[in-house]
Amino acid sequence: MKEPVFRGAATALITPMRTDGSVDYQAMGRLIDWQIEQGIDALLIAGTSGEGSTLSDEEHREVLRFAFQQAKGRIPMIAGTGSNDTAYACDLTKYACEVGYDACLVVTPYYNKTTQKGLIRMYQMIADASTKPLILYNVPSRTGISLAPATVAELSSYPHIDAIKEASGNISAIADIAASVTDGFTIYSGNDDQIIPILSLGGQGVISVLSNLLPKETSAMVHAYLSGDIQKARKMQLQYLPLIHALFCETNPIPVKTAMAKMGYGTNTLRLPLVPMEPEHENTLMQRMQEVGL
C-alpha cells in the first residue's frame, strides 16, 4: 500500500540569488530554517519556483545537496528532477535518492512533448532508476502536454510512482484521476487557488507557491480541511485568493521572487528569460501582501 509522502502543504521553494545571478546559499539556509520553524509540512527543492530549469547541472546538484543537509531530516524533502531528456532525469533522480531525498517530482517533458505511450515509458524508466517515490507533475500550460487520466491510472500501479501534482486546472480531469487511480495513490494540488476543490476530491495537500510567503497559514488551511473544519478551510482559501492572484499575475516565479526579496530572502534576481515584474503589478502585489499582514 502506497502512503503519502506528506499531508498538508509543501513549499515549492524559490532559489534565492545574489545580484550577480549566483545562488545565495546563506539566504537559502535561512529560508529553509524559517519554513520549518513556521510548520511547513514538506519542501520541494529546484522545482519550477526554484528555477530548476536554468540551474546548471553542477548548481542543481549542489542546491539539492545543500538544502537536504540544511533541513537535517526535520521534514520530508522532495527534489525536482524532471527534464525533457529522460536519461538526464534518471541520473538526477538517482542522485537525489543517494543524497537522501524522500521523493522526486518529475514534470512531463516540455518542448519535445510526446504521446501518452511515451509518457508512460518515460515515467516507468525514471521510476526504475529511483529508490524513492516519484510524484508526477502535470502542468500543461508550461509543457504543452497533459497527462491523461487513463495514463495516470495506469502509472498509479507502477512501483515507486506514488502521487501526482495536478496543476492542469481541469477539475473534471482531476475528478476522473481520483476515480480511477489505485488505492494509496496521492493527489496534490499544484494550484494555490484550487487547494480546497482538490482536497474535496480526496487530495492530501498542496505543493504551493503561496506558502513561500505564508507557510504556517497554507499548512493550517489544508489541515483544517483534513480534520473536518471545512468552513475554516474554505474561508482561508477565499481570504488568500487576492494574494494568490497577485502571485500569478505574471509567470511564476517572477512575482514570488519579488515578494521573497522584499521579505529579505535573496535579491529580486531571476535567470533569463525571466525578468523582474512590471512596476504596476509589483505595487498590487505589495498591497496584497500588506492586506494579509506581511
Side-chain angles (χ1 to χ4, degrees), residues 6-10 41 195-196 199 203-206 217-228 233 236:
F6 71 94
R7 288 184 174 90
D41 300 289
I195 298 172
I196 303 308
L199 291 178
Q204 295 297 308
V206 60
E217 293 82 356
T218 309
S219 176
M221 183 196 314
V222 176
H223 285 290
Y225 188 96
L226 294 178
S227 65
M236 293 180 76

Side-chain angles (χ1 to χ4, degrees), residues 163-183:
I164 186 170
K165 176 186 177 182
E166 246 300 341
S168 67
N170 187 338
I171 292 294
S172 296
I174 297 169
D176 287 337
I177 289 171
S180 59
V181 293
T182 58
D183 290 343

Side-chain angles (χ1 to χ4, degrees), residues 22-286:
S22 62
V23 176
D24 187 339
Y25 288 101
Q26 183 179 21
M28 190 174 199
R30 289 191 294 107
L31 179 55
I32 289 169
D33 287 343
W34 177 71
Q35 286 275 322
I36 295 172
E37 290 163 5
Q38 288 285 302
I40 199 65
D41 300 289
L43 290 173
L44 166 65
I45 307 301
T48 303
S49 301
E51 299 176 81
S53 60
T54 58
L55 297 175
S56 70
D57 180 56
E58 182 180 356
E59 287 175 320
H60 201 139
R61 291 171 190 258
E62 179 57 19
V63 164
L64 291 180
R65 188 204 64 78
F66 174 86
F68 185 83
Q69 292 298 319
Q70 186 72 27
K72 299 174 183 173
R74 290 176 284 175
I75 55 171
M77 296 289 285
I78 305 163
T81 61
S83 172
N84 62 345
D85 177 352
T86 301
Y88 180 64
C90 287
D91 286 344
L92 203 54
T93 298
K94 288 178 183 177
Y95 175 78
C97 292
E98 291 167 359
V99 168
Y101 275 80
D102 299 280
C104 294
L105 181 76
V106 181
V107 71
T108 53
Y110 41 88
Y111 185 71
N112 50 9
K113 302 167 70 173
T114 186
T115 63
Q116 295 298 304
K117 182 178 179 181
L119 288 172
I120 290 169
R121 280 299 301 123
M122 184 199 79
Y123 277 115
Q124 289 175 338
M125 185 173 181
I126 298 170
D128 288 343
S130 179
T131 58
K132 301 293 179 66
L134 294 190
I135 303 173
L136 313 177
Y137 183 14
N138 193 34
V139 57
S141 64
R142 285 183 175 271
T143 64
I145 188 169
S146 186
L147 280 159
T151 300
V152 179
E154 181 171 344
L155 289 170
S156 69
S157 62
Y158 200 80
H160 296 312
I161 299 179
D162 288 18
I164 186 170
K165 176 186 177 182
E166 246 300 341
S168 67
N170 187 338
I171 292 294
S172 296
I174 297 169
D176 287 337
I177 289 171
S180 59
V181 293
T182 58
D183 290 343
F185 186 83
T186 305
I187 299 173
Y188 296 115
S189 175
N191 289 333
D192 285 312
D193 62 349
Q194 293 183 339
I195 298 172
I196 303 308
I198 290 177
L199 291 178
S200 76
L201 294 171
Q204 295 297 308
V206 60
I207 299 177
S208 171
V209 174
L210 174 67
S211 60
N212 276 279
L213 287 69
L214 296 171
K216 179 170 64 176
E217 293 82 356
T218 309
S219 176
M221 183 196 314
V222 176
H223 285 290
Y225 188 96
L226 294 178
S227 65
D229 195 344
I230 296 172
Q231 184 175 354
K232 177 183 177 181
R234 181 174 61 243
K235 183 179 179 180
M236 293 180 76
Q237 173 79 89
L238 298 178
Q239 175 188 356
Y240 294 123
L241 207 54
L243 176 57
I244 292 167
H245 289 329
L247 285 170
F248 289 92
C249 68
E250 293 187 24
T251 303
N252 180 51
I254 292 173
V256 71
K257 205 73 179 286
T258 300
M260 297 309 291
K262 293 289 186 181
M263 293 174 66
Y265 296 105
T267 63
N268 189 17
T269 302
L270 301 109
R271 296 276 175 93
L272 286 171
L274 301 182
V275 294
M277 67 192 307
E278 296 298 322
E280 63 269 25
H281 292 158
E282 181 176 345
N283 291 337
T284 300
L285 175 60
M286 295 303 107

